[in-house]
């Protein structure tokens, strides 16, 4: 817009620098001529997103529900930690086409990929409140299905305050995206949503496993480590009676150890794991429930999570348990957006009904 208006190239850099520092609008950009600021205000929306709802948790977590210019819902979360970290969780798509059975986003209709601007505007929304220093692409959508937009946004994140080494992209195991990320010059971290090492169970929880089996995904993660020399995070949602038994912990440890040994070229002795497991207490979303309206999944008990962790550690696998954040504000991925989208979809369905 500035180029079309005949403005010098440095004006665009000035505007972006102000936005990246967290100003609330064009009127605060004091080194931009007043007439130009007024023109920008008239002709160029300051954000590509409109805030629809914001929920605040007692633990400091803030969840924002946005709408795109064409009315598509998406979410982003700010997590505040006692050590001073300010981490944001952002979305890469509105909805998700991969239908993981425990995820509220997977129950939504997939709308579209988000643009790089729509991804960045999630970060800028929170930057206007306070400094932020970590970013995870673990919100709505599969980032590897929108990797062009995701990487374009990542190029700008350091100017907001989030370095590439503090940026993590999560995937359900979309191998072409893992391979492309390994080729990127940006030292971005990789996280794998695994959730079950048994092929049949993983396919039931995550249908993508039929297309990209776990053994092949772990091989792609091993190749990523070989290229980047950066440990891969493994996300594992703890579901009571589904994936939290002792033998399932052993199966997970064995799968990760095999991949680590192949990476080290050591098939005989114990080697350092290239994976770090993050056990995630389940934050119930239950967008549909079963036929009787009961929750399809319940979270594992603290005792089950502790036993699972001990089993992994005994096998030499590094493991942490994620702090639960925002449980009192429906902070599980997609909950607010699924509710919003469901309402909008019902309106569309009624409008399209005969008569």
């Amino acid at each position: 817009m500035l180029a079309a208006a005949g403005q010098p190239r440095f004006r665009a850099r000035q505007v972006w620098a102000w936005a990246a520092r967290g100003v609330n609008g064009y009127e605060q950009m004091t080194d931009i001529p007043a007439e130009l600021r007024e023109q920008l205000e008239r002709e160029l929306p300051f954000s590509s997103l409109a805030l629809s709802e914001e929920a605040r948790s007692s633990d400091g977590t803030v969840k924002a529900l946005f709408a795109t210019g064409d009315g598509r819902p998406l979410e982003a979360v700010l997590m505040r930690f006692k050590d001073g970290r300010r981490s944001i969780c952002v979305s890469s798509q509105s909805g998700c086409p991969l239908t993981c059975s425990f995820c509220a986003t997977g129950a939504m209709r997939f709308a579209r990929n988000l643009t790089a601007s729509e991804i960045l505007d999630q970060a800028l929304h929170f930057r206007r409140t306070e400094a932020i220093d970590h970013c995870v692409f673990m919100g709505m959508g599969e980032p590897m299905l929108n990797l062009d937009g995701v990487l374009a946004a990542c190029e700008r994140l350091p100017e907001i305050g989030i370095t590439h080494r503090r940026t993590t992209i999560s995937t359900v195991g979309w191998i072409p995206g893992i391979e492309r990320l390994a080729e990127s010059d940006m030292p971005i971290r990789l996280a794998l949503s695994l959730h079950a090492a048994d092929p049949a169970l993983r396919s039931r929880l995550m249908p993508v496993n039929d297309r990209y089996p776990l053994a092949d995904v772990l091989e792609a993660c091993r190749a990523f480590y070989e290229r980047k020399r950066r440990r891969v995070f493994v996300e594992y949602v703890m579901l009571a009676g589904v994936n939290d038994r002792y033998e399932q912990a052993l199966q997970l440890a064995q799968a990760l150890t095999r991949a680590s040994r192949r990476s080290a070229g050591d098939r005989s002795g114990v080697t350092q794991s290239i994976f770090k497991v993050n056990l995630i207490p389940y934050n119930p979303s239950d967008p549909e429930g079963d036929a009787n309206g009961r929750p399809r999944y319940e979270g594992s008990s603290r005792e089950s999570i502790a036993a699972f962790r001990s089993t992994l550690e005994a096998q030499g696998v590094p493991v942490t348990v994620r702090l639960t954040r925002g449980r009192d504000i429906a902070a599980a991925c997609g909950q607010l957006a699924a509710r919003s989208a469901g309402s909008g979809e019902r309106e569309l369905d009624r409008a399209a009904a005969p008569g």
Side-chain angles (χ1 to χ4, degrees), residues 75-284:
E75 295 174 351
V77 178
L78 168 67
M79 294 164 284
R80 299 184 174 104
F81 296 91
K82 292 181 179 179
D83 61 6
R85 282 178 297 143
R86 296 294 183 263
S87 181
I88 58 171
C89 179
V90 299
S91 298
S92 55
Q93 298 177 311
S94 177
C96 182
L98 296 183
T99 65
C100 295
S101 64
F102 52 85
C103 178
T105 306
M108 292 174 58
R109 293 177 182 175
F110 172 66
R112 63 171 174 82
N113 288 338
L114 301 179
T115 66
S117 295
E118 289 165 338
I119 295 170
L120 272 175
D121 274 327
Q122 297 170 64
L124 289 171
H125 171 78
F126 293 118
R127 179 65 185 89
R128 289 192 282 273
T129 301
E130 59 196 273
I132 49 179
D133 50 26
H134 288 72
C135 178
V136 291
F137 284 83
M138 297 181 188
M140 295 171 58
E142 166 55 53
M144 298 303 184
L145 292 176
N146 184 21
L147 197 54
D148 288 338
V150 166
L151 292 180
C154 287
E155 289 178 357
R156 293 284 191 178
L157 285 177
E159 297 166 71
I160 298 175
I162 303 168
T163 67
H164 294 143
R165 293 186 180 276
R166 291 179 172 180
T167 300
T168 302
I169 296 176
S170 174
T171 178
V172 297
W174 197 263
I175 291 177
I178 296 173
E179 293 172 342
R180 277 194 59 199
L181 183 61
E183 296 299 320
S184 169
D185 293 333
M186 292 180 282
I188 294 168
R189 290 188 175 275
L190 172 67
L192 170 65
S193 293
L194 197 153
H195 311 309
D198 174 69
L201 176 57
R202 191 166 192 267
S203 290
R204 178 159 65 88
L205 296 174
M206 310 172 70
V208 70
N209 191 68
D210 292 332
R211 180 164 184 173
Y212 295 116
L214 181 59
D216 296 339
V217 173
L218 292 178
E219 177 63 20
C221 290
R222 183 202 61 77
F224 176 91
Y225 174 83
E226 291 287 352
R227 176 67 184 263
K228 297 289 194 179
R229 290 293 164 180
R230 307 212 74 196
R231 181 178 279 176
V232 177
F233 295 111
V234 171
E235 301 158 21
Y236 196 97
V237 171
M238 299 294 294
L239 304 172
V242 177
N243 66 352
D244 62 351
R245 298 193 302 274
Y246 169 77
E247 60 270 24
Q248 292 170 317
L250 280 181
Q251 190 175 20
L252 173 62
Q254 290 163 1
L256 299 181
T257 300
R258 282 195 299 269
S260 296
R261 287 178 177 171
R262 283 197 300 273
S263 180
D266 178 5
R267 297 178 182 275
S268 57
V270 176
T271 188
Q272 182 178 2
S273 177
I274 68 173
F275 299 96
K276 183 174 184 178
V277 176
N278 189 15
L279 301 179
I280 305 172
Y282 180 56
N283 193 354

